[in-house]
Amino acid sequence: MKKILAFSGSNSSTSINQQLINYTAKLVSNGTVEVEDIRNYPLPIFSLDLEKEGFPSNLEAFKNKIQAADAFIISSPEHNGSTPAVFKNLIDWLSRIEKKVFADKPVLLMSTSPGGRGGSSNLQLLEKQLPYQGANIVSSFSLGGFHDKMKDGVLDEEEQQKLLQAIQLFEEKL
Ligand SMILES: Cc1cc2nc3c(=O)[nH]c(=O)nc-3n(C[C@H](O)[C@H](O)[C@H](O)COP(=O)(O)O)c2cc1C
């Protein structure tokens, strides 16, 4: 069984991206999914000065989680048309400890937002950025209007089909 690590790029305790991660994890049939929360790995804002003092233990721990996995499901919020600071900070730290930390392994990349565009501007940015970290993005899914489309833990049928398709593409690459 392939080991899949799933996490969101949000540090909100009520994160809708983390909710989408939890929902998606249950739909994966080909592999075991471990859902993580980056709030368990708080990091200071990256600086060259701090880096000289050594890598934070939370960074080492999260990097080890990534390296132990065979594939990834990542869902990121969008902040001001871009990547939330907490997630960009994590990427920056990871890039210093291991340049291609995702090691060309398959990634299902997702995003969701309460608004209609579903964080798709940032999804496009991450589709360009994460391959620099070795992410092999094999499939993506963006869910706009989260609160309208996900009601009482049930996803709208049309979106469900799109998500299942994205998962299938991902699973084919495992
Ligand atoms: C500082 C800030 C900027 C935001 N900018 C955007 C944006 O550019 N596009 C968007 O769709 N939503 C934006 N939002 C709304 C987020 O989509 C919303 O807060 C969402 O719940 C974030 O995902 P999360 O719950 O997983 O953290 C922004 C929210 C914050 C706090």
Side-chain angles (χ1 to χ4, degrees):
M1 272 288 197
K2 297 283 181 171
K3 251 178 97 173
I4 300 160
L5 180 67
F7 59 95
S8 81
S10 173
N11 61 358
S12 162
S13 62
T14 56
S15 168
I16 58 176
N17 282 276
Q18 195 72 23
Q19 288 174 53
L20 182 58
I21 283 289
N22 290 332
Y23 185 86
T24 304
K26 293 190 188 119
L27 297 175
V28 172
S29 51
N30 180 13
T32 56
V33 186
E34 181 186 7
V35 175
E36 256 300 350
D37 189 330
I38 63 168
R39 290 184 304 145
N40 296 328
Y41 303 85
L43 294 169
I45 295 289
F46 177 83
S47 86
L48 287 171
D49 298 330
L50 265 184
E51 186 186 35
K52 282 186 192 135
E53 294 170 19
F55 290 122
S57 57
N58 281 339
L59 176 68
E60 300 267 9
F62 199 69
K63 183 210 68 163
N64 291 341
K65 284 250 160 211
I66 290 178
Q67 289 182 328
D70 300 305
F72 309 91
I73 304 175
I74 301 172
S75 187
S76 179
E78 175 174 297
H79 281 181
N80 296 308
S82 186
T83 307
V86 68
F87 190 31
K88 181 64 166 54
N89 189 50
L90 174 61
I91 294 168
D92 289 343
W93 271 115
L94 284 169
S95 74
R96 301 296 287 183
I97 196 167
E98 185 64 59
K99 198 163 168 38
K100 294 210 170 219
V101 72
F102 294 104
D104 298 322
K105 295 170 186 171
V107 176
L108 164 55
L109 184 64
M110 309 193 293
S111 66
T112 188
S113 75
R117 298 193 64 245
S120 51
S121 296
N122 182 51
L123 189 75
Q124 284 169 20
L125 288 178
L126 288 174
E127 279 171 346
K128 289 201 186 105
Q129 152 127 43
L130 290 178
Y132 286 101
Q133 276 68 56
N136 176 17
I137 299 168
V138 294
S139 131
S140 63
F141 173 71
S142 167
L143 177 64
F146 179 86
H147 300 292
D148 299 325
K149 300 281 171 71
M150 181 75 86
K151 291 231 165 90
D152 299 323
V154 180
L155 187 58
D156 161 281
E157 185 52 33
E158 197 181 324
E159 297 297 342
Q160 175 84 1
Q161 288 313 316
K162 287 186 201 160
L163 177 57
L164 287 173
Q165 244 175 358
I167 293 170
Q168 191 186 336
L169 273 177
F170 172 66
E171 289 189 329
E172 281 168 10
K173 304 289 180 189
L174 290 177

